[in-house]
Amino acid sequence: MSAIAAFSQTCRDRRALMAALRVALFVGTLLFTINHGWAAANGQMTRSRWISALLTYCVPFLVSLHGQSMARSRLPATDNIPSAPLGTDREPTEL
């Protein structure tokens, strides 16, 4: 599967989007606190800082989707491509 087709398919996958959203909320909040925490706490958030803060959440969201789509594009071409992010739809194995 081509990388573009895999990314397009990943963007339509609800489970992949939810996983990317969780990553964005966690990583974005961490980065927001590091980069803008002082300004937010002291009421010094300017328009450009708010735009930067928005991008702070967008970047991990898109990186997560990209990683999931790259993993999906490397799967063998079959009809049973998983619709969930890799590793989340497997049954637990016994040792």
Side-chain angles (χ1 to χ4, degrees), residues 30-53:
L30 181 65
L31 291 174
F32 176 85
T33 302
I34 291 168
N35 295 324
H36 306 288
W38 185 88
N42 292 304
Q44 297 182 354
M45 290 295 287
T46 62
R47 183 173 188 222
S48 63
R49 273 195 178 267
W50 281 114
I51 292 170
S52 177

Side-chain angles (χ1 to χ4, degrees), residues 7 11 20 23-24 55 57-69:
F7 188 76
C11 288
V23 168
L55 292 174
Y57 287 90
C58 291
V59 170
F61 179 79
L62 293 172
V63 169
S64 178
L65 282 179
H66 178 265
Q68 291 181 65
S69 69

Side-chain angles (χ1 to χ4, degrees), residues 1-13 16 64-75 81-82:
M1 173 183 301
S2 76
I4 294 173
F7 188 76
S8 176
Q9 186 177 15
T10 303
C11 288
R12 292 188 307 267
D13 184 347
S64 178
L65 282 179
H66 178 265
Q68 291 181 65
S69 69
M70 291 283 68
R72 181 174 285 180
S73 72
R74 291 187 174 106
L75 290 174
I81 294 175

